Amino acid sequence: MKIVIIGAVAAGSKCAAKLKRDNPNFEIEIYTEDDHISYSACGMPYFIEGMVKYEDLIARTPEEFEKNGIKVFLKHKVTEIIRREKKIRVTNKDNHLVVKYDKLVIATGATPITPPIKNVKAKNVFSLRTLEDAKNIREIMLTSKTATIVGGGYIGIELMEAFVKNGLKVNLIEFSPQILPVFDFEIAELIKAHILKKEKENVNIITSDGVVEFVLENGIAKKILTQKGNELESDFVVICAGVRPNSELARASGLELGIKNTIKVNSLMQTSDSDIYAVGDCAEKTNVITQKPAWIPMGSTANKEGRTAALTLSGKKEPFEGILGSAVTRYFDFTVAMTGLTQKEAEKNCQNIITATVTKEDIVSFMPNAKSITVKIVACKDNGKILGAQAIGCGDAIQRINSIAALLQTKGTVFDLLNLDLPYAPPYSPTIDPLLSAAQIIFNKANK
Amino acid sequence: MKIVIIGAVAAGSKCAAKLKRDNPNFEIEIYTEDDHISYSACGMPYFIEGMVKYEDLIARTPEEFEKNGIKVFLKHKVTEIIRREKKIRVTNKDNHLVVKYDKLVIATGATPITPPIKNVKAKNVFSLRTLEDAKNIREIMLTSKTATIVGGGYIGIELMEAFVKNGLKVNLIEFSPQILPVFDFEIAELIKAHILKKEKENVNIITSDGVVEFVLENGIAKKILTQKGNELESDFVVICAGVRPNSELARASGLELGIKNTIKVNSLMQTSDSDIYAVGDCAEKTNVITQKPAWIPMGSTANKEGRTAALTLSGKKEPFEGILGSAVTRYFDFTVAMTGLTQKEAEKNCQNIITATVTKEDIVSFMPNAKSITVKIVACKDNGKILGAQAIGCGDAIQRINSIAALLQTKGTVFDLLNLDLPYAPPYSPTIDPLLSAAQIIFNKANK
């Protein structure tokens, strides 16, 4: 059995490693146009910040894979999948190869979207996908005083922290009316208010506006012009305007595509061709709550999908049920976390929504390190099912989202939450956890 | 409607406050032999330590209750419940009252067990129930160099931290073969090893041994003699050998008792007399996992039960489903947390147990503040149901227990856990959460 894997950041490398461990006799080859495999893309903002060493981002080197009997072909770009012959075409500099496969795993990931901005290819305009990108951004940051981030999603916020920590002044421009557009508006506003309060001097956040042009000087973006007539200057720019799945190869070979041009897969990670699998950021996901197709690329999901594909290829069937849309990041000590549906998403799936938002201390208020968090819970009034939660603040927001994620996975209700026996002690939670306070509010609203 | 409440630390005070809020016309009277009501018993170790101010332990003063129209009778000991006349007898110094009720709520709490030790009433031997006890222990601690704690449960560990932080050397004597007897043995051994490694000089832990005598000198326990012939000395002693429910009044009035002499209640907190309710540490609970009677007194549970009784008394029916046995404490920065059944408990309820224990970093290992935790998950092989989890370590153990508590509440399986979409980012969790690593091990074991 020869298994060929295209791409190996998270899903591909996990799939390869597990396959070889479970099936030492399988022949496994990885092809990637990158210089590296098996690295932490999510860790790159912390490398740029200077908190994490470059070498530490690499989970396993190609040599370690080779030692385990997995052949790794770096800088080998796959240009075509020839399904009827079960072959792929590969280009390495001027060499062209044709490689046969018994089973093919597509793990081509996602690529940053380049918005239609004039002179977007200017030398000091970056995006963040590869380790090389991270190195380049860190290099220019270290000699800069100002930066502009285009896009206020998770990576935009993480880079803003990195730059501010390194003493830069930062513009952040977000096209939506709010930063972190996946959150509900009023929650995102609380996050923005916190950042601006802390960083009045260092951060300039512009929402509902988009960059239209970089004005060049010697090939360098000198001025940044926006739709609304803002004119900004900064030493460099990073574009974090979202990503799109790398599904070109799959599409060209006639594989069925899914939502947002992802590669359609079943719960065993099989594409419409039973000899081809897709895993990670290029593959479609299922939202466990709505049971509808979804696409939220995450390293943790990529890992689960790589494992699932390896199990299927090993003859075991252990379906991957899908995602909840759980996510977390922080701005310094301020956590922003969510799971499931926001109110705006929930309203598309349930006629009758109830929500509760509670701001309260994360542990018993007399403890000296008690800090505030805001928790918003969204539920369906018709059946009491919890649909999602958002939690933000300098206190422990993540443990609350972890609880709700577990309730979502098992279709839990507000009544389950109301009864939930969370471990209690003054250094860990108040007697009535913020989640339970929110559940009480929802329960009262539901019974009106 | 006149409602009389006996005792008001957590459950009684919650019940009173909610009753009055929802029913301003109800006549509500609280009787307690204590000097205080509505205080944080769980916060007392942190007051003794010096981290929390005395005043802060009091959630609401009697004056605040009175202002809301709730009558509070401190130092009023209820001596008898006369059910057929719907009256109670009350003693305040030399005054004897008889008080009528329409509905009675028993919230008498629990009392520390006094083990059969010779001279246990010595002046420098304490137990910890009331705020006065806490004050007295703090006072003697401040002038002492050594202390002995009898009992290595949660409160024993918390007091040990308090004393060590204040520069004392501490003996801890536990009758069981392990400290924290509610945990599985090998987990408790890890906790003990951590404490001893950190506190070689300050802490002396003796297990499988019990105190038999305090040798007096001027009414003061000078020497501590144990069953196994250990002879210890210390400036004072605190006995934390567990608690028993205060169900004497209920028993004497003929109310049905439950497990461990608790007062039997249904899910609406009604006793065998439909006009009498019992809430908090004196009341029996139901274990949600086994559906069997249980008794684990907790402030968080007391709060829920107080609320439930108030709702029932207000004509609303919102049953309290019971407890999972979730608990947490810490020794300095080392968290010990659990939910559900330990392996030893699970083996009584399921023939075919699978467990997995994982030690791994709590966040991505390249992050500078990554810290180790050990997670043990217990599941039933027959149906895949998760039965319980224990998590300990200097890393974030609590968020993992919170997730498992939510899965237990909704009867989640190992397969649910394996699929669980926990929010992921390097500062919050590794790509594969310790919980998911444990789930993978269990899943592999189950499918063998």
Side-chain angles (χ1 to χ4, degrees):
Chain A
M1 172 77 91
K2 178 173 171 186
I3 295 169
V4 170
I5 299 174
I6 310 174
V9 177
S13 61
K14 171 76 185 183
C15 184
K18 178 147 182 72
L19 265 176
K20 195 69 187 177
R21 203 180 319 127
D22 294 355
N23 312 275
N25 298 327
F26 279 14
E27 199 181 330
I28 301 170
E29 295 181 352
I30 294 173
Y31 292 86
T32 175
E33 56 182 312
D34 265 14
D35 300 332
H36 301 92
I37 59 168
S38 188
Y39 58 88
S40 172
C42 315
M44 293 191 301
Y46 304 99
F47 158 71
I48 292 170
E49 180 173 315
M51 180 190 277
V52 171
K53 279 182 288 188
Y54 179 79
E55 311 82 74
D56 288 345
L57 292 179
I58 293 160
R60 241 174 303 184
T61 61
E63 293 70 32
E64 290 173 89
F65 279 91
E66 296 273 356
K67 223 160 90 182
N68 289 327
I70 297 165
K71 287 192 189 141
V72 180
F73 299 87
L74 302 176
K75 299 182 187 180
H76 278 66
K77 184 178 167 68
V78 178
T79 56
E80 192 186 353
I81 302 169
I82 311 163
R83 286 168 53 199
R84 63 181 184 285
E85 298 174 27
K86 296 179 74 169
K87 285 177 184 166
I88 58 170
R89 280 190 211 282
V90 183
T91 297
N92 168 234
K93 289 176 192 164
D94 297 332
N95 299 326
H96 300 282
L97 318 168
V98 172
V99 178
K100 277 195 66 63
Y101 63 81
D102 293 316
K103 303 284 177 185
L104 182 69
V105 179
I106 306 175
T108 42
T111 300
I113 291 168
T114 307
I117 301 171
K118 195 174 167 190
N119 298 323
V120 75
K121 300 272 183 205
K123 276 191 233 161
N124 60 340
V125 175
F126 300 85
S127 62
L128 179 57
R129 190 180 72 87
T130 65
L131 291 175
E132 287 311 303
D133 295 334
K135 267 186 169 173
N136 292 334
I137 293 171
R138 176 158 170 81
E139 199 175 282
I140 196 165
M141 176 198 75
L142 288 174
T143 58
S144 295
K145 293 211 161 67
T146 55
T148 298
I149 297 167
V150 180
Y154 290 111
I155 298 177
I157 299 294
E158 288 162 9
L159 286 178
M160 185 159 68
E161 174 182 326
F163 298 161
V164 168
K165 257 194 199 158
N166 280 275
L168 277 69
K169 292 194 189 298
V170 180
N171 301 306
L172 183 105
I173 307 175
E174 166 59 47
F175 192 75
S176 317
Q178 64 182 79
I179 59 166
L180 292 164
V182 291
F183 283 78
D184 279 328
F185 179 77
E186 84 281 7
I187 301 292
E189 286 296 285
L190 292 176
I191 301 165
K192 183 173 149 187
H194 171 84
I195 295 173
L196 291 180
K197 192 177 162 194
K198 186 178 153 67
E199 307 287 359
K200 228 176 353 198
E201 306 296 313
N202 301 319
V203 163
N204 171 28
I205 296 179
I206 299 169
T207 49
S208 301
D209 199 2
V211 176
V212 289
E213 181 179 352
F214 297 121
V215 180
L216 297 189
E217 209 176 285
N218 302 323
I220 284 187
K222 190 72 189 165
K223 265 190 195 153
I224 300 157
L225 307 184
T226 77
Q227 277 173 358
K228 292 203 171 159
N230 280 302
E231 225 184 281
L232 306 166
E233 288 194 25
S234 70
D235 297 326
F236 70 102
V237 177
V238 186
I239 296 179
C240 318
V243 293
R244 56 173 179 74
N246 289 325
S247 56
E248 245 332 284
L249 275 177
R251 193 198 55 71
S253 73
L255 289 178
E256 195 180 336
L257 296 191
I259 190 173
K260 294 184 181 174
N261 285 316
T262 50
I263 305 170
K264 198 152 205 72
V265 289
N266 63 18
S267 62
L268 300 172
M269 308 317 296
Q270 293 165 314
T271 67
S272 55
D273 178 331
S274 61
D275 292 323
I276 304 182
Y277 293 69
V279 292
D281 290 359
C282 63
E284 190 179 65
K285 290 104 183 57
T286 299
N287 183 309
V288 168
I289 305 160
T290 62
Q291 287 296 319
K292 292 178 188 164
W295 189 58
I296 303 173
M298 284 283 164
S300 46
T301 306
N303 228 291
K304 290 194 189 96
E305 293 178 344
R307 178 175 180 275
T308 300
L311 285 167
T312 314
L313 284 162
S314 307
K316 291 169 199 157
K317 279 188 184 168
E318 193 190 299
F320 174 57
E321 293 201 317
I323 58 164
L324 300 168
S326 304
V328 61
T329 193
R330 67 177 186 192
Y331 184 75
F332 288 85
D333 58 346
F334 192 87
T335 299
V336 304
M338 64 174 293
T339 186
L341 309 181
T342 53
Q343 181 175 357
K344 61 191 172 193
E345 279 300 313
E347 279 164 354
K348 297 176 197 162
N349 292 279
C350 170
Q351 296 257 308
N352 217 346
I353 296 292
I354 334 180
T355 72
T357 302
V358 168
T359 296
K360 124 176 220 184
E361 263 135 350
D362 62 337
I363 62 176
V364 176
S365 56
F366 59 61
M367 296 296 281
N369 52 342
K371 293 185 198 93
S372 173
I373 60 171
T374 296
V375 176
K376 177 175 181 178
I377 294 180
V378 181
C380 179
K381 190 169 176 178
D382 303 332
N383 56 19
K385 287 241 174 78
I386 298 172
L387 297 173
Q390 296 155 74
I392 62 168
C394 294
D396 190 340
I398 185 82
Q399 75 174 4
R400 276 75 198 195
I401 292 300
N402 273 25
S403 297
I404 299 294
L407 286 181
L408 290 172
Q409 186 71 29
T410 50
K411 322 264 184 272
T413 65
V414 177
F415 185 69
D416 293 320
L417 182 56
L418 204 56
N419 273 280
L420 184 54
D421 184 13
L422 294 168
Y424 158 64
Y428 294 94
S429 68
T431 335
I432 304 172
D433 195 87
L435 286 183
L436 304 190
S437 302
Q440 289 177 9
I441 293 172
I442 289 190
F443 208 81
N444 292 343
K445 283 189 185 176
N447 291 330
K448 253 181 200 156
Chain B
M1 172 77 92
K2 177 172 170 185
I3 294 170
V4 171
I5 300 175
I6 311 175
V9 178
S13 59
K14 172 75 185 183
C15 184
K18 179 148 182 74
L19 265 176
K20 194 70 187 175
R21 204 180 319 128
D22 295 355
N23 311 277
N25 298 327
F26 280 13
E27 198 181 330
I28 299 170
E29 295 182 352
I30 294 174
Y31 292 86
T32 176
E33 55 182 312
D34 265 13
D35 300 331
H36 301 92
I37 58 167
S38 189
Y39 58 88
S40 172
C42 314
M44 293 192 300
Y46 304 99
F47 159 72
I48 293 171
E49 180 172 316
M51 180 189 278
V52 171
K53 280 182 289 190
Y54 179 80
E55 311 82 74
D56 288 345
L57 292 179
I58 294 160
R60 241 173 304 186
T61 61
E63 292 71 31
E64 290 173 89
F65 279 91
E66 296 274 355
K67 222 160 87 183
N68 289 327
I70 297 166
K71 287 193 190 138
V72 180
F73 299 88
L74 301 177
K75 300 183 185 179
H76 279 66
K77 184 179 167 66
V78 178
T79 56
E80 190 185 353
I81 303 169
I82 311 164
R83 287 168 52 199
R84 61 181 185 287
E85 298 174 27
K86 295 178 76 170
K87 285 177 185 166
I88 57 171
R89 282 191 208 282
V90 182
T91 299
N92 168 232
K93 290 176 193 161
D94 296 331
N95 299 325
H96 300 282
L97 319 169
V98 172
V99 179
K100 276 196 65 67
Y101 64 79
D102 293 315
K103 303 283 177 185
L104 182 69
V105 178
I106 306 175
T108 42
T111 299
I113 290 169
T114 306
I117 300 172
K118 194 173 169 191
N119 299 323
V120 75
K121 300 272 180 202
K123 276 191 232 160
N124 60 340
V125 175
F126 300 84
S127 63
L128 179 57
R129 189 180 74 88
T130 66
L131 290 175
E132 286 312 302
D133 296 333
K135 268 187 169 171
N136 292 335
I137 293 172
R138 176 160 169 80
E139 200 175 280
I140 195 164
M141 176 197 75
L142 288 174
T143 57
S144 295
K145 293 212 161 69
T146 54
T148 297
I149 297 167
V150 179
Y154 289 110
I155 297 177
I157 299 294
E158 288 162 9
L159 285 179
M160 184 159 68
E161 174 182 325
F163 297 161
V164 168
K165 256 193 200 158
N166 281 275
L168 278 70
K169 291 194 190 298
V170 180
N171 301 307
L172 183 104
I173 306 174
E174 166 59 46
F175 193 75
S176 316
Q178 64 183 79
I179 58 166
L180 292 164
V182 291
F183 284 77
D184 279 328
F185 180 76
E186 83 281 8
I187 301 292
E189 285 298 285
L190 292 176
I191 301 165
K192 182 173 149 188
H194 172 84
I195 295 173
L196 291 180
K197 193 178 160 194
K198 187 179 153 66
E199 307 287 0
K200 229 176 353 198
E201 307 296 312
N202 302 319
V203 163
N204 171 29
I205 297 179
I206 298 168
T207 49
S208 301
D209 199 1
V211 176
V212 288
E213 181 179 354
F214 297 120
V215 180
L216 297 189
E217 209 176 286
N218 303 324
I220 283 188
K222 190 72 189 165
K223 265 189 196 154
I224 301 157
L225 307 184
T226 77
Q227 276 173 355
K228 292 204 171 158
N230 279 303
E231 225 184 282
L232 306 166
E233 290 195 23
S234 70
D235 298 326
F236 71 101
V237 177
V238 185
I239 296 179
C240 317
V243 292
R244 56 174 178 73
N246 289 325
S247 55
E248 245 333 283
L249 275 177
R251 194 198 56 73
S253 74
L255 288 177
E256 194 180 337
L257 296 191
I259 190 173
K260 292 184 182 175
N261 285 317
T262 50
I263 305 169
K264 198 154 205 71
V265 288
N266 64 16
S267 62
L268 299 172
M269 308 318 297
Q270 292 165 315
T271 67
S272 55
D273 178 329
S274 61
D275 292 322
I276 304 182
Y277 293 69
V279 292
D281 290 359
C282 63
E284 190 179 65
K285 290 103 183 58
T286 299
N287 184 308
V288 169
I289 305 159
T290 63
Q291 287 298 317
K292 293 178 187 164
W295 189 58
I296 303 173
M298 284 282 163
S300 46
T301 305
N303 229 290
K304 291 194 188 95
E305 293 178 346
R307 179 175 180 274
T308 300
L311 285 167
T312 313
L313 285 161
S314 306
K316 289 171 201 156
K317 279 188 182 165
E318 193 190 296
F320 174 57
E321 294 202 315
I323 58 164
L324 300 168
S326 304
V328 61
T329 193
R330 67 178 186 191
Y331 183 74
F332 287 86
D333 57 348
F334 191 87
T335 299
V336 304
M338 64 173 294
T339 186
L341 309 181
T342 54
Q343 182 174 355
K344 60 192 174 194
E345 279 300 313
E347 279 164 354
K348 298 176 197 161
N349 292 278
C350 170
Q351 297 258 307
N352 217 346
I353 296 291
I354 334 179
T355 72
T357 303
V358 168
T359 297
K360 120 177 224 184
E361 261 134 353
D362 63 338
I363 62 175
V364 175
S365 55
F366 59 62
M367 296 297 280
N369 52 342
K371 293 185 199 94
S372 174
I373 60 171
T374 296
V375 177
K376 177 176 182 178
I377 294 180
V378 181
C380 178
K381 189 169 177 177
D382 303 331
N383 56 18
K385 288 241 175 77
I386 298 172
L387 297 173
Q390 297 156 72
I392 62 168
C394 294
D396 190 340
I398 185 82
Q399 75 173 5
R400 275 75 199 195
I401 292 300
N402 273 25
S403 297
I404 299 294
L407 286 181
L408 289 173
Q409 187 70 30
T410 51
K411 321 263 183 274
T413 64
V414 177
F415 186 68
D416 293 321
L417 182 56
L418 204 56
N419 273 280
L420 184 55
D421 185 13
L422 294 167
Y424 159 64
Y428 294 94
S429 68
T431 335
I432 305 173
D433 194 88
L435 286 183
L436 304 191
S437 301
Q440 288 177 8
I441 292 172
I442 289 190
F443 207 82
N444 291 344
K445 283 187 185 177
N447 291 329
K448 253 180 199 156

